[in-house]
């Protein structure tokens, strides 16, 4: 069987684009999370949609599991092929196909990374807004409905997707949208495929919304005596209707990691990293008003980064924060909580998270996209130490339960993968049955990233 | 059978909330479009979700068609029960259940209208952004993914829906989202059910995003010698990155209808109705810049409405435009095209539309939400005159074909109903099969608003 599989894949693609090399299999056995690695049988590197279609048609006929793979930066085991089979690595499909500046649209292949895209867009005075910590591929970002520091202003990945080309389980190639800015035509397949984590199809092309680089940009760091005051300041900024472009919470421990890793000398206290976009006059007024609000909330120091270099340094440091932790705790693996709560519940949720982490005895940082009510507890753990693993899992569990009890979600942006699967029934109730029915209808042989997001539909449709 | 049906519905709800009265049946036999009316067997007025669930469970057992009905303001025959059966009228489920000002969220029953909601929200300094021409129900607006004049800034109905309570075909009650501002948990059912036009379930509750009333608002009317110059001005405003809150095109003929119906004395020339939202300083700068742009594009007159009364009058006149046409052409019915094209194609598309209308000999106005690339040709036709009907259908057809050939959509905001069903295969290609598979999985007995959006899945799954 294995020999046929490899021969067939080589026949579909090319001799040198099908690999069972140990190093390659290893690299595709894991993501950036603490989840246990597991190797695929084979990794294939397609060049175009036709090849992906041929691979899926073949895999579907023979009921072989298929996992799509971008750069492996997922955080909940999304790309780990626990059922072995074929991993499709999209790194060779990394061409920016078209930039349409007048339409604020770009069409890319799934292996293009967000920084690669932004480098190209800069030539047109444009930028792509979604910026997760990792320099992920756009295919992967669509698959998990990624977001980042700018979502409070520009929205999440799903908001940027105008059209996807998707190869279905049986090899059929579809488009999920169009190039129109809005549509009421047919079911909203864009939204369904974004965030489906490779369980409904493989994304082979994306048409994405982009934005003009703002006329004026101003960044700031505001530090507070307590975490609670920083959170209260965020709530006040949002209530005042200030169209802040970024508002990130970074706790004291995380600022320490930033300084150590990025060589900055930021004050080691609970801090908000802020950014404002707009025309000159409007931005000035936003900034003035924000200053008043943060000081009223107890801010003891605010530093503005007017200079582009310093501003880029600030956001690079923020983006590298997860890597700063990884670097600061050699040999340990990262477990990150990812709940999102209604803004009115944010202060309580962050307080609760701090208490839970302290009580656990683990060391963990709190940070996040607090303008959306989304925050992370970042725990560095020794996955070989059962006690530490169990404590970390309890922290995650308690934080998720707190969020779900208050109308929140177990994952704001990282996705479900295998790590958040156990919360799906509790969060979605009988709606899980709808998801299972959709999965069953679109992937009857259950070959597409099996058992991610959902258990086998057979089990769910009998269970709820 | 019919007697059992009525007895059972009375048993589920109440004697006086089940009607076969001729006037009631008539009122539920049509919408605001030119599509041929057809009566349901019975109209039922539920009070709560449990009743809706019981009605659907019963209907599903007996394979009786069910059409959900808000206020009947749809424009493509969405609510016309061509297969008879039960029409569920949601007008008694019209309570605003909760306003959460800190979370910028509101929870309502589906029969609440947009103006009813805005009246309540005003007390909190908040507003709901989506504003189709009609004062539709929010359930109906979600069902068609409605939008309106503010979508260019605040997005369409789908962007506002945080959670829906939906009753499925078999009576199961689900929630499609949560109260969190973002989520990557499970498949995006919010997006799927919004725009599904009652074909996948009945919406019984909506949690919607609302916004703070902007600090400063300024409206303007800019008139141009030609339609083309007005369109070019819109493209230039968008390219400049001005965050315009509304930008509506109204052609000369439509301004005439406005003046006649609303008693205004606006200059009868191709006109842009504009609105700006922001802080005082930012708004001033936006307005100054916009003035420069429109004059450069050939604008010969711009009038600012600084006063709230005049501003409200302007937008009320714009919202009443369809009714102005209906009033201006007694005995005729309205046919409205609704394509949406990429902005770079807008000028050509509007020129083409004008040519097509002129060539047809029909009188028709052009207007629309041009900031989104969405525009309407409004034709008043005598549905008893086969020649006029055929001409109008040809106009619609040519405009749709033009849009589809350029990456656009056949319907930007009105939805498919029965009027745009014939374009679904052309627009979506093999993706139509995915839609049919979803419909089949969620409504196996095909009772929910049958043959709207899609033909029977059996036909599509055999056809594509």
């Amino acid at each position: 069987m294995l020999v046929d599989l490899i021969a067939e894949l080589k026949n579909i693609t090319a001799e040198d684009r099908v690999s069972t090399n140990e190093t390659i299999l290893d690299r595709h056995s894991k993501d950036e999370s603490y989840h246990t690695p597991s190797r695929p049988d084979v990794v294939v590197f397609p060049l175009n949609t036709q090849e992906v279609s041929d691979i899926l048609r073949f895999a579907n006929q023979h009921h072989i599991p298929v996992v799509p793979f971008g750069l492996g930066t997922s955080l909940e085991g999304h790309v780990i092929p626990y059922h072995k089979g074929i991993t499709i690595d999209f790194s060779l499909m990394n061409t920016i196909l078209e930039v349409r500046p007048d339409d604020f649209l770009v069409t890319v292949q799934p292996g293009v990374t967000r920084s690669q895209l932004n480098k190209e867009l800069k030539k047109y005075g444009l930028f792509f807004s979604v910026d997760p910590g990792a320099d992920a591929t756009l295919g992967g970002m669509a698959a998990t409905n990624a977001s980042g520091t700018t979502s409070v202003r520009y929205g999440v990945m799903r908001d940027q997707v105008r059209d996807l080309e998707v190869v279905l389980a049986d090899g059929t190639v579809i488009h999920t949208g169009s190039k129109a800015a809005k549509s009421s035509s047919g079911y909203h397949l864009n939204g369904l495929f974004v965030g489906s984590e490779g369980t409904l199809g493989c994304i082979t092309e994306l048409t994405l919304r982009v934005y003009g680089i703002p006329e004026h940009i101003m960044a700031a760091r505001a530090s507070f005596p307590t975490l609670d005051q920083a959170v209260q300041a965020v709530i006040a900024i949002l209530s005042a209707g200030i169209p802040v472009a970024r508002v990130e919470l970074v706790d004291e421990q995380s600022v320490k990691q930033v300084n150590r890793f990025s060589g900055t000398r930021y004050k080691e206290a609970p801090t908000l990293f802020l950014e404002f976009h707009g025309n000159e006059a409007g931005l000035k007024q936003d900034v003035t008003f924000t200053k008043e609000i943060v000081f009223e909330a107890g801010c003891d120091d605010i530093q503005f980064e007017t200079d582009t270099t310093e501003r880029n340094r600030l956001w690079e440091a923020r983006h590298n924060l997860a890597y700063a932790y990884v670097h600061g705790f050699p040999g340990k693996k990262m477990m990150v909580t990812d709940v999102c709560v209604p803004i009115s519940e944010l202060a309580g949720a962050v307080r609760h998270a701090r208490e839970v982490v302290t009580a656990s005895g683990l060391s963990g940082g709190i940070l996040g996209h607090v303008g959306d009510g989304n925050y992370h507890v970042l725990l560095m753990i020794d996955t070989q130490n059962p006690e530490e693993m169990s404590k970390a899992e309890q922290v995650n569990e308690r934080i998720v339960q707190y969020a779900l009890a208050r109308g929140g979600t177990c994952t704001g942006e990282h996705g479900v993968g295998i790590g958040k699967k156990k919360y799906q029934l509790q969060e979605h109730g009988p709606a899980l049955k709808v998801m299972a029915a959709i999965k069953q209808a679109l992937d009857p042989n259950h070959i597409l990233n099996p058992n991610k997001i959902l258990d086998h539909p057979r089990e769910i449709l009998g269970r709820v």
Side-chain angles (χ1 to χ4, degrees), chain A residues 90-406:
Chain A
F90 283 95
S91 57
L92 300 182
M93 288 177 69
N94 65 345
T95 305
I96 297 169
L97 300 168
E98 190 185 15
V99 182
R100 292 170 65 125
D102 291 348
D103 291 319
F104 293 91
L105 289 179
V106 63
T107 300
V108 299
Q109 287 189 312
V112 172
T113 69
R114 65 173 180 87
S115 71
Q116 179 191 349
L117 177 59
N118 271 320
K119 202 175 155 191
E120 178 66 19
L121 289 176
K122 208 175 171 185
K123 299 176 192 166
Y124 301 85
L126 299 170
F127 77 105
F128 179 70
S129 62
V130 186
D131 65 340
D135 186 21
T137 64
L138 293 160
M141 287 166 63
T144 54
N145 189 29
S147 55
T149 66
T150 63
S151 303
V152 65
R153 172 75 169 263
Y154 297 94
V156 301
M157 194 67 191
R158 188 174 280 124
D159 300 311
Q160 321 309 329
V161 171
R162 203 57 74 75
D163 182 33
L164 296 174
E165 183 185 78
V166 176
V167 180
L168 302 177
D170 67 359
T172 305
V173 181
I174 65 164
H175 278 262
T176 61
S178 72
K179 293 195 166 62
K182 62 182 203 185
S183 176
S184 286
S185 181
Y187 299 151
H188 188 50
L189 299 185
N190 271 345
L192 182 64
F193 280 87
V194 174
S196 65
E197 301 183 5
T199 65
L200 300 179
C202 289
I203 300 166
T204 47
E205 203 177 289
L206 307 91
T207 296
L208 302 167
R209 185 177 178 185
V210 297
Y211 299 85
I213 294 172
E215 201 188 331
H216 287 268
I217 302 177
M218 169 90 82
R221 283 176 291 113
S223 61
F224 296 81
T226 69
L227 204 56
D228 199 43
Q229 285 166 306
V231 174
Q232 296 294 354
V234 174
I235 295 166
I237 290 168
L238 295 174
S239 294
I242 297 170
V244 67
R246 288 167 151 162
V247 54
E248 294 286 304
L249 178 71
V250 188
D251 75 350
E252 188 177 340
Q253 179 165 354
S254 303
V255 179
K256 271 184 197 147
Q257 294 298 335
V258 164
N259 284 340
R260 204 167 301 167
F261 185 76
S262 300
T264 45
R265 291 169 161 219
Y266 299 156
K267 182 172 173 183
E268 295 182 352
T271 302
L272 296 179
F273 288 10
L274 294 147
E275 195 165 271
F276 303 88
H277 296 172
N279 66 38
E280 194 173 3
L283 188 142
K284 268 188 189 156
Q285 195 166 330
D286 286 342
V287 166
T288 307
F289 198 11
T290 302
K291 265 168 88 171
E292 284 171 26
I293 290 172
V294 297
F295 282 119
E296 203 161 304
C299 168
D300 49 19
D301 186 33
I302 186 161
Q303 297 289 331
F304 287 91
E305 316 280 18
T306 40
D307 173 90
T308 311
T309 316
E310 280 309 308
R311 203 179 66 228
N312 288 344
R313 190 180 163 92
L314 173 74
W315 294 113
E316 207 182 307
R318 168 65 190 89
H319 278 116
N320 286 332
L321 192 39
Y323 298 114
Y325 271 99
V326 172
H327 196 259
F329 296 83
K332 297 213 170 189
K333 292 275 187 180
M334 191 163 54
M335 182 190 275
V336 201
T337 75
D338 179 37
V339 298
C340 186
V341 295
I343 284 294
S344 63
E345 301 287 353
L346 183 64
V350 171
R351 259 197 307 273
H352 171 263
R354 173 43 67 207
E355 283 162 18
V356 167
V357 175
T358 306
S360 77
L362 297 170
S363 76
I366 297 182
L367 52 136
H369 318 305
V370 282
D372 302 314
N374 179 213
Y375 66 93
H376 308 299
V377 175
L378 212 152
L379 301 168
M380 296 309 302
I381 48 175
D382 176 359
T383 54
Q384 303 307 311
N385 180 335
E387 201 195 338
E388 214 169 291
M389 275 295 281
S390 152
K391 276 184 185 168
E393 270 161 17
Q394 279 169 40
V395 168
N396 201 347
E397 173 77 23
R398 290 186 59 190
I399 287 171
V400 169
Q401 293 302 340
Y402 187 97
L404 292 183
R406 284 156 186 84

Side-chain angles (χ1 to χ4, degrees), chain A residues 436-452:
Chain A
I438 292 170
K439 168 74 175 173
Q440 181 63 35
L442 300 191
D443 180 22
N445 297 330
H446 202 60
I447 63 159
L448 291 168
N449 209 359
N451 295 323
K452 301 292 165 55

